[in-house]
């Protein structure tokens, strides 16, 4: 019997697998036998089916919208009746008229008495009532019908629709809403106080989102832009290429529309990357972030908002001085979550829509928010942008300018000049090559320090692209980041490691070169490069070192040539190039460090004024070095760098002091020695 029952169960299953295999073979045979005309006909059929499905989706969405609107109307009727009870059955006014003048607001005591008498202090009733007042407040705002589009203007029994009247109505409704919350909080019940606090936070978030939406749409209208990224446009572009656009063009169009519709809470450092995301975030996925990652994490989520490719979670942090630890705990939860770790990545940033101190934190600093984006959002491999030929040409030019810098340093040496006149390449190249290689070696030390720091913090870096310079041999290198640093501390360590190590090495070379020059014999001096005293006096730091080691050197006239050991020139070139790179501008090492120390908004202002200062100096001092460096920076490096995963938690005072000291060294290097 057991054998028979097993046979009866297994046979249909085996037969089913056999049928599936036969169907798969049949479909494979048919797919290989189809002609191009058959495939085109099938494509047209699928497009027609897609359009039909789209129409069905539109109809279903319309029905759902009507259902929700009906449910909201019923809810609003209840809320309106409660508002009438609080206002003393006055359906058209928000206050009581006094002596025919301005309406006087209903007192908090009266509201508290009416709330208690009518049993209106439950959370659901208060939330519904306050949300209805918020809708009335929004509808009464001037221009809300145009800017918010989906709202009809609310009138308080008066045909006067002037801007002043609307502003007064909106302000009165907002005042009533705030007084209702104060009345609830005044009741002697801790539960009521918590209800009022929660509803107040919710209303505040709604107001912030509303004001930001109005601002975005107003700016869009003022700029003459229209938001055209509708569902029909995207679906029509995705189901066929009848319009003749390639896949790349469609992706660019979608990215452009996403940027136009990008909410203000999206960090600018992420907006372009998010707009190009190949996937979007589902609402269910974001709800799982809110319900499965954030609870009991130390981050109390009070509201959230989302667009197609990002979401923001606002709230408060239980321990403000342990923000980084709390966020790292949330990150650990995400990495071990089987349903979210491959779909979402989280960032901690300042709230861009914050306008003032929150109800729970009296601070001038914007609160932290958690930003969720698709896992596929990664830093662009800028391909410098993918132009290997340009990078190779830059390497060749840097080697050439380093050799030219060395050649110019020996140009005033009598023996070297005679070898040049004799076209003795075998004597010229070996003489210049060590100095050129020394300049490149300092630059290599700079980049190796970056790479080592990046490995410590597990950050991927792109290949450095050197920048040629006739004045110093090289300006340094452009080193792009290929992954998001974990926090501002990691960004600082990676940025500062290169200039810090190279500056120390360069200064030691300057000191060693001056010392070897002072102690050199006459025969050795004849083989040294020859420079003018003005070169030493062009830098306050170099001049100070020379004054200490060789005081007589600083007494020479600016045009007076004198021999110096090659190590001095290697150190001088390295010190100047490091000073230029430590300036707080854009994507320079100094710009990255300034962003980590001062935050993005402050560092952006510092970067702008730094570029402006360089422009002024390049014209006032007629410095070709500053002029060319300003042109390179303003063209390629002026923009802020990538976001860090934790862009909110500040760096410690030690790192801040290190940067300020290094920045002071850079200023002293570029500042001329007083004569």
């Amino acid at each position: 019997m057991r054998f028979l029952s097993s046979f009866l169960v297994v046979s249909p299953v085996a037969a089913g697998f056999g049928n599936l295999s036969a169907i798969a073979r049949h479909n494979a045979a048919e797919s290989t036998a189809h002609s191009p005309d058959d495939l085109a006909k099938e494509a047209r059929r699928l497009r027609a089916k897609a359009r039909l499905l789209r129409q069905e989706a539109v109809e279903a969405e319309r029905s759902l919208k009507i259902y929700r609107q009906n449910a909201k109307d019923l809810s609003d009727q209840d809320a309106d009746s409660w508002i009438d009870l609080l206002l003393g059955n006055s359906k058209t006014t928000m206050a009581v008229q006094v002596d025919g003048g301005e309406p006087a607001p209903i007192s908090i005591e009266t509201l508290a008495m009416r709330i208690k008498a009518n049993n209106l202090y439950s959370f659901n009733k208060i939330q519904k009532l306050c949300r209805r007042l918020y809708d009335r407040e929004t509808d009464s705002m001037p221009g809300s019908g145009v800017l918010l589009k989906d709202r009809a203007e609310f009138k308080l029994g008066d045909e006067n629709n002037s801007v002043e009247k609307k502003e007064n109505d909106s302000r009165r409704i907002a005042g009533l809403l705030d007084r209702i919350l104060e009345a609830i909080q005044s009741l002697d019940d801790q539960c009521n106080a918590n209800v009022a606090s929660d509803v107040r936070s919710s209303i505040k978030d709604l107001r912030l989102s509303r004001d930001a939406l109005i601002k975005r749409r107003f700016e869009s209208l003022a700029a003459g832009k229209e938001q055209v990224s509708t569902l029909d446009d995207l679906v029509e572009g995705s189901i066929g290429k009848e319009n003749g656009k390639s896949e790349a063009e469609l992706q660019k169009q979608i990215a452009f529309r996403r940027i136009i519709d990008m909410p203000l809470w999206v960090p600018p450092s992420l907006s372009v990357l998010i707009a190009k995301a190949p996937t979007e975030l589902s609402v269910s996925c974001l709800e799982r972030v809110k319900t499965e990652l954030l609870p009991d994490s130390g981050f109390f989520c009070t509201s959230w908002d989302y667009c197609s490719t990002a979401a923001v979670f606002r709230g408060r942090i239980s321990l403000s001085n342990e923000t980084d630890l709390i966020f790292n705990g949330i990150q650990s939860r995400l990495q071990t979550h089987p349903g979210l770790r491959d779909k979402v990545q989280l960032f901690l940033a300042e709230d861009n829509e914050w306008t003032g101190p929150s109800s729970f934190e009296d601070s001038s600093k914007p609160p932290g928010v958690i930003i969720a984006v698709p896992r596929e959002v990664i830093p662009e491999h800028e391909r410098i942008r993918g132009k290997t030929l340009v990078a190779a040409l830059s390497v060749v030019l840097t080697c050439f300018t380093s050799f030219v810098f060395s050649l110019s340093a020996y140009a005033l040496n009598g023996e070297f000049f005679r070898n040049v006149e004799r076209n003795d390449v075998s004597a010229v190249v070996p003489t210049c090559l060590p100095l050129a290689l020394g300049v490149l070696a300092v630059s290599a030390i700079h980049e190796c320090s970056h790479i080592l720091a990046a490995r410590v913090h597990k950050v991927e870096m792109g290949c450095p692209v050197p920048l040629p310079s006739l004045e110093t041999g090289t300006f340094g290198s452009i080193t792009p980041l290929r992954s998001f640093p974990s926090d501002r501390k990691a960004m600082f360590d990676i940025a500062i490691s290169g200039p810090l190590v190279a500056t120390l090495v360069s200064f030691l070379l300057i000191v060693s070169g001056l010392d070897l020059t002072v102690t050199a014999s006459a025969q050795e001096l004849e083989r040294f490069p020859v420079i003018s005293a003005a070169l030493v006096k062009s830098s306050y730091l170099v001049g100070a070192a020379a004054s200490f080691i060789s005081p007589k050197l600083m007494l020479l006239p600016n045009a007076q040539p004198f021999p110096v050991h090659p190590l001095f020139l290697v150190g001088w070139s390295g010190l100047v190039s490091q000073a230029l790179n430590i300036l707080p501008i854009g994507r320079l090492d100094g710009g990255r460090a300034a962003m980590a120390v001062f935050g993005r908004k402050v560092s952006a202002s510092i970067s702008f004024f730094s570029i402006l200062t360089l422009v002024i100096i390049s014209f006032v001092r007629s410095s070709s070095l500053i002029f060319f460096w300003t042109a390179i920076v303003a063209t390629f490096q002026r923009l802020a760098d990538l976001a860090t995963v934790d862009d909110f938690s500040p760096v410690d005072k030690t790192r801040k002091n290190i940067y300020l000291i290094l920045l002071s060294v850079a200023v002293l290097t570029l500042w001329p020695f007083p004569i």
Side-chain angles (χ1 to χ4, degrees):
M1 290 297 293
R2 291 181 180 178
F3 174 78
L4 182 58
S5 60
S6 302
F7 177 78
L8 292 175
V9 171
V10 173
S11 295
V13 175
F17 279 116
N19 291 335
L20 289 176
S21 301
I23 292 172
R25 289 193 298 271
H26 177 71
N27 290 339
E30 283 191 349
S31 62
T32 56
H34 283 324
S35 63
D37 293 338
D38 294 336
L39 294 175
K41 186 182 297 183
E42 180 67 13
R44 287 193 294 270
R45 185 185 69 80
L46 292 176
R47 289 196 196 99
K49 185 176 180 180
R51 292 190 182 93
L52 181 61
L53 290 174
R54 186 185 63 187
Q55 293 175 0
E56 292 178 359
V58 171
E59 291 297 330
E61 186 177 353
R62 185 181 295 112
S63 300
L64 179 61
K65 187 175 182 180
I66 294 173
Y67 172 79
R68 288 178 174 173
Q69 185 61 45
N70 292 336
K72 187 177 185 302
D73 291 341
L74 292 175
S75 177
D76 290 345
Q77 289 177 8
D78 293 337
D80 288 337
S81 65
W82 298 333
I83 293 172
D84 294 339
L85 291 174
L86 295 181
L87 297 177
N89 296 324
S90 175
K91 297 183 178 180
T92 59
T93 61
M94 292 290 106
V96 180
Q97 193 80 6
V98 178
D99 297 332
E102 287 296 324
I106 300 175
S107 66
I108 294 176
E109 293 77 9
T110 302
L111 288 172
M113 179 186 65
R114 292 177 180 176
I115 289 171
K116 195 168 184 179
N118 293 281
N119 194 25
L120 296 178
Y121 45 77
S122 69
F123 178 78
N124 291 334
K125 289 183 179 180
I126 289 300
Q127 187 181 41
K128 188 182 296 186
L129 187 150
C130 292
R131 182 58 186 262
R132 178 57 175 159
L133 282 174
Y134 163 78
D135 289 342
R136 287 190 176 190
E137 174 194 343
T138 301
D139 295 338
S140 299
M141 294 176 63
S144 63
V146 175
L147 293 177
L148 297 182
K149 296 183 180 180
D150 57 346
R151 296 189 182 276
E153 294 180 332
F154 178 76
K155 302 177 183 178
L156 299 175
D158 195 328
E159 295 301 325
N160 180 9
N161 272 337
S162 65
V163 172
E164 183 179 0
K165 180 66 169 64
K166 291 180 178 180
E167 288 178 349
N168 291 335
D169 291 342
S170 178
R171 188 163 52 251
R172 287 158 55 199
I173 298 172
L176 175 63
L177 196 160
D178 293 336
R179 289 197 304 279
I180 288 175
L181 293 174
E182 291 180 13
I184 296 171
Q185 201 160 5
S186 68
L187 298 175
D188 296 332
D189 190 340
Q190 183 61 35
C191 180
N192 294 332
N194 293 336
V195 168
S197 177
D198 292 342
V199 175
R200 189 189 302 276
S201 297
S202 176
I203 294 300
K204 181 173 182 179
D205 289 335
L206 288 173
R207 285 172 173 169
L208 288 175
S209 300
R210 175 198 64 197
D211 295 342
L213 174 62
I214 291 177
K215 181 180 179 181
R216 289 199 302 270
R217 291 189 173 173
F218 178 78
E219 291 175 349
S220 180
L221 291 174
K225 297 178 181 179
E226 295 182 0
Q227 299 185 5
V228 296
S229 56
T230 63
L231 174 64
D232 288 346
D233 295 333
L234 296 177
V235 173
E236 187 65 33
S238 64
I239 64 176
K241 299 182 181 179
E242 296 87 355
N243 53 7
K245 294 182 178 180
S246 65
E247 189 69 25
E249 290 173 336
L250 290 174
Q251 291 298 329
K252 289 182 180 179
Q253 184 179 12
I254 293 174
F256 178 72
R257 290 172 177 174
R258 285 176 178 172
I259 290 177
I260 293 177
D261 293 334
M262 195 76 71
L264 289 179
W265 47 258
V266 175
S269 54
L270 286 174
S271 57
V272 175
L273 301 179
I274 292 175
K276 296 180 179 180
T279 61
E280 297 185 351
L281 291 174
S282 64
V283 177
S284 61
C285 180
L286 297 175
E287 288 177 344
R288 295 185 69 183
V289 172
K290 182 177 183 297
T291 58
E292 299 178 19
L293 292 184
L294 300 184
D296 302 325
S297 64
F299 181 87
F300 301 98
C301 182
T302 57
S303 66
W304 65 294
D305 189 12
Y306 69 94
C307 60
S308 61
T309 51
V312 60
F313 298 90
R314 294 186 175 91
R316 63 181 185 272
I317 297 174
S318 58
L319 298 173
S320 58
N321 59 341
E322 296 184 0
T323 303
D324 51 346
L325 297 178
I326 292 174
F327 182 66
N328 289 336
I330 297 174
Q331 290 282 60
S332 299
R333 288 187 179 187
L334 176 61
Q335 297 304 321
T336 57
H337 196 290
L340 295 175
R341 62 188 177 191
D342 296 329
K343 297 180 181 179
V344 179
Q345 57 180 322
L346 302 179
F347 292 83
L348 181 64
E350 292 183 351
D351 190 351
N352 287 334
E353 293 184 337
W354 183 79
T355 57
S358 61
S359 59
F360 50 81
E361 185 180 2
D362 296 330
S363 172
S364 60
K365 181 181 178 181
V369 295
I370 293 179
I371 306 293
V373 302
R375 174 61 71 179
E376 292 80 4
V377 173
I378 58 174
E380 286 186 290
H381 286 203
E382 299 195 11
R383 299 178 287 277
I384 281 261
R385 280 231 213 212
K387 298 177 181 175
T388 308
L389 180 61
V390 174
L393 180 62
S394 182
V395 172
V396 173
L397 285 176
T398 302
C399 294
F400 174 75
T401 54
S402 298
F403 187 81
V404 170
F405 171 76
S406 176
L407 189 67
S408 63
Y410 281 95
L412 296 179
N413 183 290
E415 182 64 25
F416 181 82
F417 187 74
R418 285 190 290 272
N419 290 331
V420 172
E421 284 186 329
R422 292 194 297 266
N423 293 325
D424 189 357
V425 178
S426 61
V428 170
V429 173
T431 302
C432 295
L433 196 58
L435 177 55
L437 292 177
V439 171
L440 296 176
V442 173
S443 182
I445 291 173
H446 176 111
E447 299 307 323
C448 288
S449 301
H450 280 318
I451 294 172
L452 290 176
R455 288 186 177 180
V456 170
H457 290 284
K458 299 179 181 179
V459 176
E460 182 184 355
M461 300 191 71
C463 294
V465 178
L467 297 174
S469 170
L470 292 173
E471 292 83 2
T472 59
T474 176
F475 279 128
S477 301
I478 296 177
T479 311
L481 299 176
R482 300 301 191 213
S483 62
F484 297 110
S486 58
D487 52 23
R488 285 160 62 172
K489 295 176 184 177
M491 175 69 88
F492 178 87
D493 292 347
I494 294 171
I496 211 70
S497 58
L500 180 61
V501 174
T503 297
L504 291 175
V505 171
S506 298
F507 189 75
L508 290 176
L509 289 175
I510 288 175
V511 173
S512 300
L514 289 173
D515 184 66
L516 291 173
T517 301
V518 172
T519 59
S521 62
Q523 292 80 6
E524 290 175 330
L525 290 175
E526 291 179 355
R527 298 193 297 270
F528 286 173
V530 178
I531 62 173
S532 65
L535 183 68
V536 179
K537 298 177 182 180
S538 64
S539 168
Y540 188 95
L541 187 61
V542 176
S547 299
F548 181 78
I549 298 173
S550 179
K552 295 182 180 180
L553 180 61
M554 302 304 295
L555 300 177
L556 297 176
N558 287 343
Q560 177 67 45
F562 67 93
V564 67
H565 195 277
L567 287 181
F568 172 84
L569 285 175
V570 173
W572 179 88
S573 170
L575 193 64
V576 172
S577 63
Q578 302 314 308
L580 293 174
N581 276 277
I582 205 61
L583 295 178
I585 297 175
R587 297 187 178 185
L588 296 179
D589 294 333
R592 291 171 175 172
M595 186 279 296
V597 170
F598 302 112
R600 289 193 173 272
K601 293 182 180 179
V602 176
S603 63
S605 301
I606 295 175
S607 176
F608 172 78
F609 286 109
S610 298
I611 293 177
L612 183 61
T613 302
L614 287 180
V615 171
I616 295 173
I617 292 175
S618 63
F619 284 102
V620 171
R621 291 181 54 187
S622 299
S623 172
S624 59
L625 175 69
I626 301 296
F627 176 80
F628 285 115
W629 179 243
T630 305
I632 292 174
V633 167
T635 304
F636 301 107
Q637 298 288 82
R638 69 182 185 279
L639 299 179
D641 215 327
L642 291 174
T644 59
V645 176
D646 180 359
D647 223 18
F648 181 78
S649 303
V651 300
D652 52 80
K653 290 184 179 180
T654 302
R655 287 180 169 87
K656 182 177 180 180
N657 292 334
I658 289 174
Y659 176 67
L660 293 178
I661 292 173
L662 201 56
L663 182 60
S664 300
V665 171
V667 173
L668 292 176
T669 299
L670 300 176
W671 196 267
F673 190 86
I675 300 175

